[in-house]
Amino acid sequence: MMRWASGEIGRVVFQLLVIGIFVFLLAAPIIVVYYSFSPTVALRFPPDGFTWRWYLNVLDQPRLLNGVWQSGVIAGLATMFALLLGVPTAYALTRGTIRGRRALETFFLSPLILPGLVLAIGILMFIVVIVQPLVDVTLVGTLLPLLAAHLIVTVPWVIRTVMSSLNTTDVAIEEAARGLGATPLQAFWLVTLPSIKPGIVAGALFAFIVSFGNFALSLFFASGRVTTLPVAIFEYVDRFQDPTVAAISTIVIGLTMVLVLLGDRFAKIWN
Amino acid sequence: MHLIRHHDVGILDNRRTLFLLAPAAFVFLVLLVSPIIFLIHLSLLPSMPNAPLTGPIGFSGYAALGDSYHHSILWRTIRISGITTLGCLLLGYPIALSIIRSRGWWRSAQIVFVVTPLFVSIVVRTYGWVLLLGNRGLINGLLVSVGFRDQPVRLLGTEVAVVVGLVEALLPFMVLSLSAVLGRIDSTLEEAARGLGASPIGAFLTVTLPLSLPGALAGCLLVFMVSMGSYVTPALLGGSEVRVMVIEIYTQLTTVFNWPLAAVLSLTLLAVSLTVAGLASRLIRTERGRKTV
Amino acid sequence: MPKYLQCLPLLVLIVTSCGPPTSLDNTLTVALPPGRIDDFNRVIAPGFKALSDVSITVIGMRSADQVARVRIEQDRPTLDLLWIDFAEAQLLAREGLLAKVSERELPNLRDIREEAKSTLGVAPITFSSALGFLYNSTRIKHPPRSWADLWNSRFEGELALFDFGSSLGPVTLVMAARLNGGNETNIDPGFEKLLQLKSNTFGFRTSGPENNKFVAQGEAGVTLALASQTRELKAAGATVEWIVPAEGAVALPQGFQIVAGSQQGTLAQAFVNYVLSLEVQQRLANDLLMVVPNRKVVLDPAIAPFVPLDNILYLDIETIGMRRGEWTNRFNREILGG
């Protein structure tokens, strides 16, 4: 049911435009899916045939499979910590009364505008030159530096979405709960948290996305144990020019669509 | 009925506020501020190929800022990012409007279509464009078979290819920013304008567009920033001849081994980004200040 | 206590257990070019694993990235062994970041030709790839027979060349210099000559496999490649051939190097010794078509044309390594046009 009252022609043109843009948006992923079934290494249209061969080859590529697992684990951990750090911060920034909140807001959102490579260099050198001598433990090559770097780029997303959610919920409800005798923590837990659920879910989703697909940071911290999927793909593409990469990407695309559908169903993210 | 509002009413006292901010502040200080300080130190070391990591502090690295070669790279980066932002804005509005105004399965489907590409790693999405735009790619294949051209058109290795790849990659971010703000604008406002005699497009331009400006600006800011700092898309689609800032930084890091220069360029990129961010934030705040139609 | 807080201790446990790896007694961490992971696992690693109960962790990393990594890590290296271009190896050696070797720890050094040994006391050249012209025989009827030939106008738009992200970029520049009266220490003639080659280029790219693909698919005519790559392409059905230029096949020397301060020093030494052994060197020559420095190696007659032991051209690796950074800047400005 369209609420936009307009002429028939205008509506059709608009719909065509929208569909056209979607075609553009989905062209690259679609071609990747198409290519994953191509029987030849060369791209042909119309297709020469159909094969599952590259999907089977994925099973033979431990580095790619390992990459999926690594990316998932890191993204999951980063998201969890990002939520733990981001939600209280967002709450403090919107409901707090200290001066300089805007400056703090900018500070916490600043990683969004920093080039990943710049952050990566800085963090790596910082760890090697300052942190490692201090704790006298080898950190490079473990999960920790990568996790730290991913954390710094995911927290801003959580803060952003939770803040925007908090801004649209009425303070009056929380104040009412306090007036009825609830402690601040109870008010937050029982009243605020449920109402900002869309913001939290959106933040978690973005944090996961950003971490999973991140390339620049992961490349810099890559080691034998820590090779995320984007890096594994990059290595593979460098060597083989065949559709195996397309196959594993298609699998990820499929899983993603399911995740996003569930997210929208349960949390009504886009109000 | 909501108009866009920014809450200035607080219910937390200062002590609690600081307490809640402390964990994130600590993490950020360690992971963000310290590395940048480190970068600044690095930028002050002597700048040369195979530069050692110790030496007298000076500004030799900053001489690079006067070099026209770096100017052209910076300008190219800004140009590409600017066009990408414009592209995302023009293509993002129709999609955002469509999502907000629709219901049911079509709405869910559109959301899935918008968000799913974000999960596909940037390396793969860009590779998809390589498949599409290559001389043996889908587009050239179609052009040749239709008879439009005899020879394949060179699409890869151009700025156009990079912009196309970036717009496709960042469009979802713009759409999400726009939907967030468009969703809060009451459609009855536009209907009121129509009732007063405005055309659909007129109503959009005079009512919806101005009200959604803060969200649009926020989206533009995001897209611009990410474009400025992108590596994979310009590297794979632009080839050797479309050199952007991050690629040059990477070259100085891993081929020339002039890390002080890499630090200088990184900080320059940072400075430009922050300046643009500052200007845009000011604009957003001014727009937000206008609370009524 | 709210449910999510109860998860915290568990989380902390998980994260910290992912922390510093206890250095497993039998794990070697090897960094090598991503394109070589396959060859390594197939030809080199199995024999060593059979000798001792060792697990080998492999990381794909280009030589330049290996240099960056070793430099950053300095005295706390996470890598034990590097399969690295010899030029970069000499660079690291000069900074004291590679372990020195002697015949005592590596007995097989005795069989290695003198010119392959390192002047800085680190591990020698383990093998060299030999660079020739890969061309598409359907597209190119009269292939280039020498480097000088490449400047001929009949190759307009046909040459898939390399930028300085690849080690073949400097090689092209040096050969151009040598053709124009210069050399590694007098490189200006090289830039002049290379500028004249621009009209013949199909493009300057970083990835070897990518350029090879262009030639195999007939989009470009000629590129620089190895005999082993040519063999693979032919096996996949491409109409390509390989030819050694008149001036000689430029050697791309590489070596296994031990990172200084590695926790697996003894094991790493055993590995390098193993790679220098006659048996492995023989396999490298016959299987991977590498030019190897072990004197006792005998070539299978069938593969002799692809392993030009006699028509090999060694460039001044040291100078190239030292000047590469400076040349990169010039190349990006003067040849690519900023």
Side-chain angles (χ1 to χ4, degrees), chain B residues 6 21 23 53 83 111 164 176 197 200 205 232 238 245 263 279 291:
Chain B
H6 187 77
L21 289 174
L53 295 183
I83 299 176
I111 292 172
V164 166
L176 293 172
L205 287 174
V232 182
M245 282 296 270
L279 289 171
K291 290 192 182 182

Side-chain angles (χ1 to χ4, degrees), chain A residues 63-64 215 219 222-223 227-240 245, chain B residues 123, chain C residues 32 34-35 37 58-61:
Chain A
R63 290 182 74 74
L64 283 179
F215 179 72
L219 183 66
S223 70
T227 307
T228 58
L229 185 61
V231 177
I233 288 177
F234 194 71
E235 284 176 6
Y236 192 90
V237 169
D238 195 44
R239 160 74 168 148
F240 304 105
V245 159
Chain B
V123 177
Chain C
L32 47 84
I37 294 178
V58 154
I59 308 175
M61 218 187 280

Side-chain angles (χ1 to χ4, degrees), chain A residues 4-5 25 89 95 97-98 113-115 118 121-122 125-126 148 167 175 206 209 215 219 249 253 256 270, chain B residues 7 10-12 14 24 31 34-35 38-39 111 118-120 124 168 176 190 194 225 232 250 253 269-270 274:
Chain A
W4 189 25
L25 182 62
T89 311
R95 300 283 190 257
T97 47
I98 58 172
I113 66 177
L114 299 178
V118 175
I121 309 167
M125 301 204 73
F126 174 69
N167 278 336
E175 286 172 339
F206 283 148
I209 292 171
F215 179 72
L219 183 66
S249 308
I253 292 174
T256 302
W270 327 113
Chain B
H7 277 274
I11 58 166
L12 284 178
N14 285 2
L31 292 179
S34 324
F38 199 85
L39 270 181
I111 292 172
L118 289 175
F119 263 111
V120 182
V124 174
E168 191 261 342
L176 293 172
E190 218 180 274
R194 297 288 321 288
M225 293 310 159
V232 182
Y250 201 78
L253 270 177
L269 188 60
L270 204 59
L274 283 172

Side-chain angles (χ1 to χ4, degrees), chain A residues 170-206:
Chain A
D170 213 330
V171 190
I173 309 178
E174 290 168 53
E175 286 172 339
R178 297 288 307 281
L180 287 172
T183 66
L185 188 60
Q186 282 174 328
F188 176 76
W189 189 250
L190 297 168
V191 175
T192 322
L193 210 53
S195 64
I196 58 170
K197 200 165 56 137
I200 293 183
V201 173
L205 206 62
F206 283 148

Side-chain angles (χ1 to χ4, degrees), chain B residues 24 34 85-86 104 110 121 200 250 279:
Chain B
S34 324
T85 307
L86 202 62
Q110 288 179 95
S121 170
Y250 201 78
L279 289 171

Side-chain angles (χ1 to χ4, degrees), chain B residues 25-44:
Chain B
F26 175 71
V27 170
F28 270 59
L29 254 151
V30 168
L31 292 179
L32 186 66
V33 176
S34 324
I36 291 184
I37 294 177
F38 199 85
L39 270 181
I40 295 177
H41 171 81
L42 192 58
S43 75
L44 295 172

